[in-house]
Amino acid sequence: MVGRAVSPVFVGRERELSDLTEAFAQARKDAAVTVLLGGEAGVGKSRLIGCFAERATVDGAHVLNGGCVELSTEGLAYAPFTAVIRQLVRECGAEEIASMLPQGGARDLARLLPEFGEPSDHTESEAARARLFEQILALLERLAERHPVILLIEDVHWADSSSRDLIAFLSRNLHTAPVLMVLTYRSDELHRQHPLRPVLAELGRLDDVVRIDLPRLTQDEVAAQMAGILGTTPEFVQVHRVFQRSEGIPLFVEALMECGGDAGFPSSLHDLIIGSVERLPEETQRVLRIAAAGGNRVGHALLAAVSGLSDVDLEDALRTAIAANVLQVADGHDYLFRHALIREAVHEELLPGEHVRLHARFAEEIGRDRTLVPPGRAAIEIAHHWYSARDDLWALISAWEAAGKAAKSFAYNEMMQLLERVLTLWSKIPDAAERIGVDHTTVLEHAAEAASACGEADRGSRFVTAALDELDELAEPARVADLVVRRAQFKKARRRPGVLDDLRYAERLVPEPGLERAEVLSKLGSYLMFSGELAEGTALTEEALRIAREHGEKALEAELLLNLGLGHSIAGRLDITIALNKTAQAIGERVGSGRSVLRAVANNVDALNNIGRSTEAIELALEGERLAREYGRYRVQGTFIATNRAEALEALGRFDEAARLVEQILAMGPSLRTRHHLLRIRGDVAIARGEVEVLRSVLNEVGGFGTVPEEFMQELTANVRLQIGLHMLEGEPPAALEVAERVAREAQITSKPMLGWRVLGLLGGVCEATEDLAPGRAAALRAHVERVSDAMTVDSPVAEAYRLGLARDHDAAAAVWERLGRPFLQARSLFHAARAAAGAGDRDGAADRLRTARSIAVSLSARPLVTRTEALGRRIGISLTDRPGNGETSLTPRELEVLRLVALGRSNREVAAELFISAKTVSVHVSNILAKLGVSTRGEAAAVAHRLTLIA
């Protein structure tokens, strides 16, 4: 045997090292980078990043090491991040790490490491998990302020679901911090259903993600590796044999070299790997088999306890394994298999009885002394070993305990996985309920809660259905009501019908005025208000509020006040809304409910924008976002506040800022509803600027073209607004009229200015655009709009401006919009006023209005409005600009391309083929060109183009 068959010389990989170095250089420029390093098992990923880390440390990097372990696939949550935080505690101390975190952050980290004291007492599962993610993000950002950070996470193919989610979160949100995150994985193990595949696909779509695939060594590189091991140049024949047999995988080269130059090569790769173990003394092999049952890394004390050997005998047995580089010593007290493949090969050699016996011994010893494993790991280690030992009773008991521990760490995916194991084993244990202290239905309830927290609506629905099948609503009505409410929430998440039916059923189950009823009424009341049923929703919310106050439930009282404010907001009573939100915020501050405080701020940002105080709304939003970071809830609620800020920016015509903010928040991976809200804001900007393809993309994603009806009025009216905007941009007023008629028939339009009044203003605009094309239908729609508006309240300048527009008092509407600082709406009103003036023969008045409107539209890059003002100016024979030529036409580069081909006599289909666009898109471009040039035929357009030298 050659001995320690590891080359002291790092062979090859110069290109990959250069890629890693370049990625680190990019990260140091305040642009975080993630590297996905894939390669087969044994190809040298660990050696590569180890060499890179050594060099980077010399260059001043702070290298953090976290590795995933095979046990993570069974429910060990956050293993790589726990390892990183443990490293930081060793380096800096828990107190210094805690000082880097937002308020209360150390208590969240206490769920991973006991050094941080008592864990926080958050009860909101989804928010608590997001808060933990926020703390780890903040910690990395603060560390990076001192030194550039390299976060190495190895073997992410074994990562638990929570770690995968956290990795994706960090990749999306570590934007400007000088952090390089390197993730390694076995590319040969990623089968089609492997849970890492969608994560890699998601990360691959991000801008600052680099993929590196580590290839096998060439024959020359194998020769260099062998020379390093042998200390001399090997013979060509030997190099060729080793290269052929190892196929260029460095680990196999090392194993072959251990066979000796003249020895026969093993017939299989398993035999090749296990060969280095079988040449060791028998007692050493026995201890290695025990260690393999313990995992890739086993502590000395635990191995001694399981093996029954004294410290001296254990050390004697392991000394030769360490000398042969089968095992390595880690942190002075742990033993680590040099490569996971070696541990896997040894574990596969266990006989069936030996496998059962050893795993049972590990479970017993860890259960006897939980300090034998790192803090926080005992429960899942015990569950793993009892399950591997095929002891159904103790596997059930330990899985139940481990699920509880996972919940305390906000590891809800792992909690659900462990609870599914409990449910699977339940029928095998006659007294299962007595053994764990809860009945089968309770396990299902906990599983449904875990599914809800991690967004698994389909699985959660199955848990709820199974639990309801086991309950009698007459015997346990409150318990059934709680499950029915959860079922409604799952239906809502899956956009399935029956949400309201379930909530009403739950309300009937709890008729007595207790907290159970208040909780149900809270959900039912808010759902009704969002659906437009304001009177009933408000009444139920007020009833719940009375119950909460009678029971002294301040946190619930704050939430119900916010719900009540929502109803007043939808009804247009925004002064009451603001007052209720402020009251709720004060209660939230007293009881320490960050959720209520931030929800109140978010709702008041919306209310201020609705009454025209958009600049104040933006200032309040910025303060709310600061508070969200302080509470560690930015990705949970801060993103929603930022979304409302984007809406205010759009209202003020600050389109560039709004679009940038939308993209910034989208990159953080917000909830689906927040994402759709953001996209709709971007769609509004696209309408103003004529970005047809952007608008179409938004509508596709938010389901604006779909057949699934929106249950909530806000989403419904927003989708309608975007659909009408698209039809008008594409020159299809009749299609816009059809949508407008449908919304007039189906939607419950309320007095909220930016909701109901905005929709009415839009419908009025459609009426004006189609009164010549379909006068009867346009008149009928206008009569309907006027009837609805007569019943609506006007208690804000925004509502008044929309009302004036509907009454065709466009000059007055423009004056209000100007006072509110909403230039786009001012310019649009001036355009309508100019058209009315032109129709009345006031050519000079029309010209003044058009020049102002065009100037505003140009400053906002609102191309469609620029085009409309110029077209109207040409029709009435006035010039809106002193600059002749192309500047007056405002043709886009694409329109100039289309115009050139039209002038050559090409048909729409021929133009489409040449420019690789659809014929319909060409038709839209041609319509815009005719309007901008003030002509009615393609021939006239060609003539004008030649006269103005618009084309060569």
Side-chain angles (χ1 to χ4, degrees):
M1 184 178 70
V2 175
R4 295 177 66 100
V6 178
S7 173
V9 180
F10 186 69
V11 175
R13 310 311 193 196
E14 289 304 321
R15 181 173 63 82
E16 291 77 20
L17 266 177
S18 175
D19 290 342
L20 286 168
T21 303
E22 184 179 339
F24 182 44
Q26 181 182 341
R28 295 185 78 154
K29 296 175 185 175
D30 288 346
V33 177
T34 298
V35 172
L36 308 177
L37 177 60
E40 298 169 272
V43 82
K45 299 182 293 294
S46 296
R47 185 81 184 269
L48 171 62
I49 64 171
C51 179
F52 166 68
E54 288 177 10
R55 297 184 186 184
T57 302
V58 173
D59 289 339
H62 188 176
V63 179
L64 303 175
N65 292 282
C68 303
V69 295
E70 196 167 5
L71 186 58
S72 294
T73 61
E74 292 195 31
L76 177 60
Y78 303 117
F81 297 98
T82 301
V84 165
I85 297 169
R86 187 175 288 115
Q87 174 189 336
L88 288 170
V89 169
R90 286 198 305 269
E91 293 174 351
C92 310
E95 187 174 339
E96 184 175 348
I97 298 302
S99 69
M100 300 182 189
L101 299 170
Q103 177 184 355
R107 295 184 65 194
D108 289 324
L109 291 192
R111 295 178 179 273
L112 303 183
L113 281 184
E115 287 90 334
F116 292 99
E118 284 296 315
S120 58
D121 55 358
H122 287 290
T123 57
E124 305 167 54
S125 53
E126 183 180 352
R129 181 173 183 261
R131 181 180 167 91
L132 176 63
F133 284 19
E134 292 270 2
Q135 308 299 357
I136 294 175
L137 172 65
L139 177 58
L140 289 172
E141 289 174 335
R142 291 295 303 278
L143 286 168
E145 292 173 4
R146 303 178 174 187
H147 302 282
V149 170
I150 296 177
L151 175 60
L152 304 177
I153 303 180
E154 294 196 68
D155 299 319
V156 293
H157 53 276
W158 284 332
D160 58 282
S161 179
S162 294
S163 290
R164 291 194 301 269
D165 290 345
L166 181 48
I167 286 168
F169 172 83
L170 293 174
S171 298
R172 288 193 302 265
N173 292 287
L174 275 170
H175 295 301
T176 59
V179 176
L180 173 66
M181 185 160 60
V182 181
L183 314 173
T184 75
Y185 61 94
R186 290 187 189 175
S187 55
D188 51 328
E189 291 200 2
L190 298 189
H191 53 79
R192 177 180 284 180
Q193 300 301 320
H194 197 289
L196 183 62
R197 288 181 71 95
V199 178
L200 294 178
E202 177 189 349
L203 296 181
R205 290 190 289 270
L206 301 178
D207 292 336
D208 297 318
V209 173
V210 177
R211 298 193 77 132
I212 299 177
D213 295 314
L214 196 60
R216 300 177 179 186
L217 297 180
T218 65
Q219 183 163 320
D220 287 344
E221 290 169 338
V222 168
Q225 183 185 6
M226 292 172 65
I229 294 170
L230 295 170
T232 184
T233 302
E235 295 180 1
F236 175 79
V237 173
Q238 187 185 19
V239 170
H240 183 70
R241 291 178 65 206
V242 170
F243 176 70
Q244 290 293 318
R245 189 69 189 91
S246 68
E247 298 181 332
I249 295 180
L251 179 68
F252 298 162
V253 173
E254 295 169 358
L256 287 165
M257 294 304 295
E258 289 179 356
C259 294
D262 300 323
F265 287 165
S267 59
S268 71
L269 294 178
H270 174 84
D271 292 342
L272 174 62
I273 295 171
I274 204 69
S276 60
V277 175
E278 291 178 338
R279 287 188 290 275
L280 298 173
E282 181 57 40
E283 181 63 9
T284 299
Q285 292 186 50
R286 187 181 77 85
V287 174
L288 285 175
R289 288 195 296 273
I290 297 172
N296 207 46
R297 180 171 179 155
V298 186
H300 176 90
L302 176 58
L303 191 54
V306 174
S307 67
L309 296 174
S310 67
D311 287 343
V312 173
D313 290 340
L314 180 60
E315 289 160 359
D316 287 343
L318 293 179
R319 199 176 306 279
T320 53
I322 294 168
N325 203 29
V326 173
L327 284 185
Q328 297 173 341
V329 177
D331 296 333
H333 52 73
D334 289 350
Y335 301 111
L336 177 71
F337 281 90
R338 176 165 60 90
H339 197 283
L341 286 177
I342 300 174
R343 181 257 163 190
E344 292 165 17
V346 174
H347 191 257
E348 287 174 7
E349 291 290 302
L350 295 178
L351 297 173
E354 190 178 24
H355 182 282
V356 168
R357 186 171 64 255
L358 287 178
H359 280 288
R361 287 286 298 126
F362 271 102
E364 290 166 353
E365 291 301 333
I366 297 171
R368 190 173 294 118
D369 181 1
R370 298 193 171 212
T371 64
L372 291 172
V373 294
R377 286 185 57 162
I380 188 60
E381 290 267 7
I382 293 169
H384 160 69
H385 286 299
W386 281 126
Y387 191 65
S388 297
R390 301 179 181 86
D391 187 314
D392 292 337
L393 171 60
W394 285 105
L396 180 141
I397 294 171
S398 58
W400 172 252
E401 182 196 355
K405 295 290 186 183
K408 291 180 180 178
S409 299
F410 312 138
Y412 301 109
N413 295 87
E414 291 68 33
M415 174 187 176
M416 181 171 60
Q417 180 180 343
L418 289 160
L419 291 175
E420 286 177 324
R421 181 183 295 178
V422 172
L423 293 168
T424 300
L425 294 169
W426 193 275
S427 62
K428 299 180 180 181
I429 310 300
D431 58 345
E434 289 75 15
R435 291 286 187 170
I436 65 173
V438 298
D439 60 16
H440 188 262
T441 308
T442 300
V443 178
L444 287 167
E445 288 170 324
H446 283 289
E449 181 182 354
S452 175
C454 58
E456 291 282 354
D458 287 334
R459 292 162 80 180
S461 294
R462 290 195 292 271
F463 293 137
V464 167
T465 299
L468 286 171
D469 287 344
E470 297 178 2
L471 293 176
D472 179 355
E473 68 176 61
L474 296 178
E476 298 179 277
R479 193 176 183 184
V480 172
D482 183 66
L483 282 166
V484 171
V485 168
R486 192 172 292 285
R487 182 172 69 186
Q489 292 170 328
F490 285 134
K491 286 180 178 178
K492 179 181 170 185
R494 298 158 71 205
R495 302 188 73 181
R496 299 290 174 81
V499 177
L500 185 57
D501 290 341
D502 273 350
L503 291 174
R504 290 195 185 281
Y505 172 36
E507 183 266 334
R508 292 193 298 272
L509 288 169
V510 283
E512 299 301 319
L515 288 176
E516 294 90 353
R517 179 170 177 79
E519 292 286 357
V520 173
L521 293 181
S522 172
K523 303 292 191 302
L524 175 57
S526 64
Y527 187 88
L528 286 168
M529 286 188 283
F530 270 121
S531 302
E533 300 291 342
L534 295 181
E536 184 183 5
T538 299
L540 294 174
T541 302
E542 288 173 339
E543 179 187 346
L545 183 61
R546 288 193 297 272
I547 296 171
R549 284 171 170 165
E550 288 169 2
H551 287 78
E553 287 291 328
K554 290 295 182 182
L556 180 58
E557 179 184 352
E559 290 296 303
L560 289 165
L561 285 170
L562 291 166
N563 290 354
L564 204 56
L566 167 69
H568 286 291
S569 172
I570 294 172
R573 297 184 288 269
L574 291 157
D575 289 339
I576 299 175
T577 295
I578 292 172
L580 287 169
N581 289 338
K582 287 182 177 179
T583 302
Q585 181 176 346
I587 295 173
E589 289 168 349
R590 286 199 300 272
V591 301
S593 172
R595 169 185 161 83
S596 295
V597 170
L598 295 175
R599 196 178 157 209
V601 171
N603 289 354
N604 269 349
V605 171
D606 176 71
L608 288 170
N609 188 46
N610 266 273
I611 60 178
R613 292 158 59 182
S614 301
T615 301
E616 286 181 61
I618 291 170
E619 292 170 355
L620 179 61
L622 290 170
E623 172 63 15
E625 291 173 64
R626 184 193 65 77
L627 279 174
R629 290 187 178 92
E630 189 174 299
Y631 281 117
R633 302 175 68 95
Y634 191 84
R635 271 75 187 176
V636 182
Q637 290 178 273
T639 53
F640 186 73
I641 296 174
T643 299
N644 285 350
R645 175 159 65 96
E647 201 166 31
L649 288 168
E650 186 274 332
L652 291 174
R654 292 160 63 175
F655 296 147
D656 286 336
E657 292 176 73
R660 281 197 300 271
L661 182 57
V662 165
E663 294 303 320
Q664 177 186 331
I665 303 303
L666 285 174
M668 295 181 182
S671 69
L672 183 62
R673 191 172 183 203
T674 298
R675 178 177 177 83
H676 284 181
H677 192 172
L678 285 161
L679 288 170
R680 290 179 178 111
I681 295 169
R682 184 63 183 89
D684 288 328
V685 173
I687 290 172
R689 292 192 158 174
E691 299 166 326
V692 174
E693 293 308 317
V694 172
L695 180 55
R696 187 179 296 280
S697 173
V698 166
L699 277 164
N700 276 324
E701 182 164 347
V702 303
F705 296 126
T707 57
V708 179
E710 289 287 353
E711 293 182 90
F712 292 158
M713 189 170 51
Q714 181 170 332
E715 284 77 7
L716 171 64
T717 55
N719 284 355
V720 163
R721 186 171 71 243
L722 299 182
Q723 287 179 51
I724 290 176
L726 178 63
H727 290 315
M728 296 300 289
L729 285 177
E730 292 187 328
E732 299 173 344
L737 178 60
E738 187 176 328
V739 175
E741 289 170 331
R742 187 178 73 245
V743 74
R745 288 193 307 269
E746 299 174 1
Q748 295 186 12
I749 299 175
T750 66
S751 296
K752 187 175 183 179
M754 297 290 288
L755 195 61
W757 278 108
R758 188 177 188 178
V759 169
L760 287 187
L762 181 66
L763 299 186
V766 173
C767 292
E768 291 195 33
T770 58
E771 56 191 4
D772 292 332
L773 297 171
R777 291 168 62 193
L781 177 61
R782 176 168 289 283
H784 175 81
V785 167
E786 290 173 351
R787 285 195 301 273
V788 172
S789 65
D790 287 343
M792 292 169 62
T793 59
V794 180
D795 57 1
S796 75
V798 174
E800 174 63 9
Y802 279 121
R803 187 196 67 77
L804 290 168
L806 278 175
R808 305 197 189 199
D809 191 350
H810 297 298
D811 283 320
V816 177
W817 292 130
E818 182 179 16
R819 191 168 68 250
L820 295 176
R822 300 193 177 187
F824 179 72
L825 296 175
Q826 176 194 355
R828 197 168 66 183
S829 293
L830 286 171
F831 168 78
H832 288 301
R835 190 165 62 178
D842 183 4
R843 187 168 174 273
D844 291 339
D848 290 341
R849 293 173 176 86
L850 284 176
R851 288 192 182 100
T852 303
R854 182 186 181 280
S855 176
I856 294 171
V858 168
S859 71
L860 298 176
S861 298
R863 293 193 197 95
L865 188 53
V866 171
T867 300
R868 294 174 74 190
T869 57
E870 291 176 347
L872 179 57
R874 283 190 294 272
R875 282 201 298 273
I876 62 178
I878 60 174
S879 173
L880 303 183
T881 174
D882 296 325
R883 292 171 295 182
N886 187 38
E888 189 172 346
T889 66
S890 301
L891 292 182
T892 67
R894 175 62 89 185
E895 288 167 348
L896 286 170
E897 288 181 295
V898 172
L899 178 57
R900 178 179 61 81
L901 296 172
V902 166
L904 294 174
R906 302 283 198 274
S907 68
N908 284 0
R909 189 176 299 279
E910 290 169 333
V911 173
E914 189 158 341
L915 297 181
F916 301 101
I917 57 179
S918 70
K920 183 174 182 180
T921 300
V922 173
S923 175
V924 173
H925 285 312
V926 170
S927 297
N928 289 340
I929 290 166
L930 297 181
K932 289 181 180 183
L933 297 181
V935 297
S936 56
T937 69
R938 297 161 77 95
E940 290 175 349
V944 171
H946 286 299
R947 187 178 76 247
L948 298 179
T949 64
L950 298 179
I951 58 178

